[in-house]
Amino acid sequence: GNSVTQMEGPVTLSEEAFLTINCTYTATGYPSLFWYVQYPGEGLQLLLKATKADDKGSNKGFEATYRKETTSFHLEKGSVQVSDSAVYFCALSERSGGYQKVTFGTGTKLQVIP
Amino acid sequence: GAVVSQHPSRVICKSGTSVKIECRSLDFQATTMFWYRQFPKQSLMLMATSNEGSKATYEQGVEKDKFLINHASLTLSTLTVTSAHPEDSSFYICSARDSGHYGYTFGSGTRLTVV
């Protein structure tokens, strides 16, 4: 079956530091890849997505490139802010049984300190 | 954009009672909605897929008689936790996919505490 593996947290960074959260996946076909963010006490919000190999998703300064050869979708941001503190989930979506099924990673908690 | 409203955001109930959680798509029709459960410091686990007008599809290991799902209209799906026990305490999140939006819109989640 499909699976998503992302680096364990928590990750603690100083403001303006560079962020990388690793994500690798296994899938039987050609999935779409996503990063979701969950702020404390809230539901998930779509951060960015990529639907095919070599696509780059970007939003709010975050970027991730769909690397089929390494089955990876690492999340990066050049300069993090305190407001970026949240839990980040890598996910893939693939058609299964007539509908799109989403598989999530375990989440990586990011804490940015001033 | 697509918005999914989930209610209540928090609920505390006594052991043995039932709790209903609602998930509404506010500005789009959702023929399919998904219910997830999130344990502390863990990822979201898909519990079931809710299909409008038909029975829900449950993931392996999820008790369908305990977690009743009803998707009576194109904008509303409900999850009822029956005869709740403390081990059912968790964060439950629904999501829906708008046919014109490649991705999933999530509700804000419901924190269930069974005492």
Side-chain angles (χ1 to χ4, degrees), chain A residues 2-6 23-26 32 34-38 43-46 87-94 100-108, chain B residues 34-38 42-47 93-95 103-106:
Chain A
N2 296 341
S3 67
V4 176
T5 303
Q6 59 183 106
C23 172
T24 57
Y25 67 91
T26 58
S32 295
F34 306 85
W35 277 99
Y36 285 87
V37 57
Q38 183 180 31
L44 271 68
Q45 301 175 29
L46 177 64
V87 180
Y88 293 81
F89 291 92
C90 185
L92 69 82
S93 170
E94 192 171 39
Q100 294 285 344
K101 188 170 181 178
V102 183
T103 303
F104 289 89
T106 52
T108 302
Chain B
F34 304 87
W35 287 96
Y36 295 85
R37 181 174 180 177
Q38 185 180 28
Q42 295 187 30
S43 185
L44 284 77
M45 301 300 296
L46 179 65
M47 298 175 65
I93 304 177
C94 68
S95 76
Y104 298 82
T105 303
F106 286 82

Side-chain angles (χ1 to χ4, degrees), chain B residues 29-104:
Chain B
Q29 294 184 332
T31 56
T32 303
M33 290 186 176
F34 304 87
W35 287 96
Y36 295 85
R37 181 174 180 177
Q38 185 180 28
F39 293 96
K41 300 182 181 180
Q42 295 187 30
S43 185
L44 284 77
M45 301 300 296
L46 179 65
M47 298 175 65
T49 301
S50 168
N51 301 297
E52 187 269 335
S54 64
K55 292 182 179 180
T57 303
Y58 290 82
E59 295 300 302
Q60 190 172 11
V62 177
E63 300 176 62
K64 59 183 179 182
D65 293 331
K66 181 168 189 60
F67 298 100
L68 300 180
I69 291 173
N70 183 278
H71 195 155
S73 75
L74 287 171
T75 59
L76 174 65
S77 176
T78 60
L79 168 67
T80 301
V81 183
T82 62
S83 187
H85 291 282
E87 57 264 32
D88 298 325
S89 298
S90 192
F91 193 59
Y92 294 87
I93 304 177
C94 68
S95 76
R97 178 172 178 263
D98 176 10
S99 60
H101 173 245
Y102 203 88
Y104 298 82

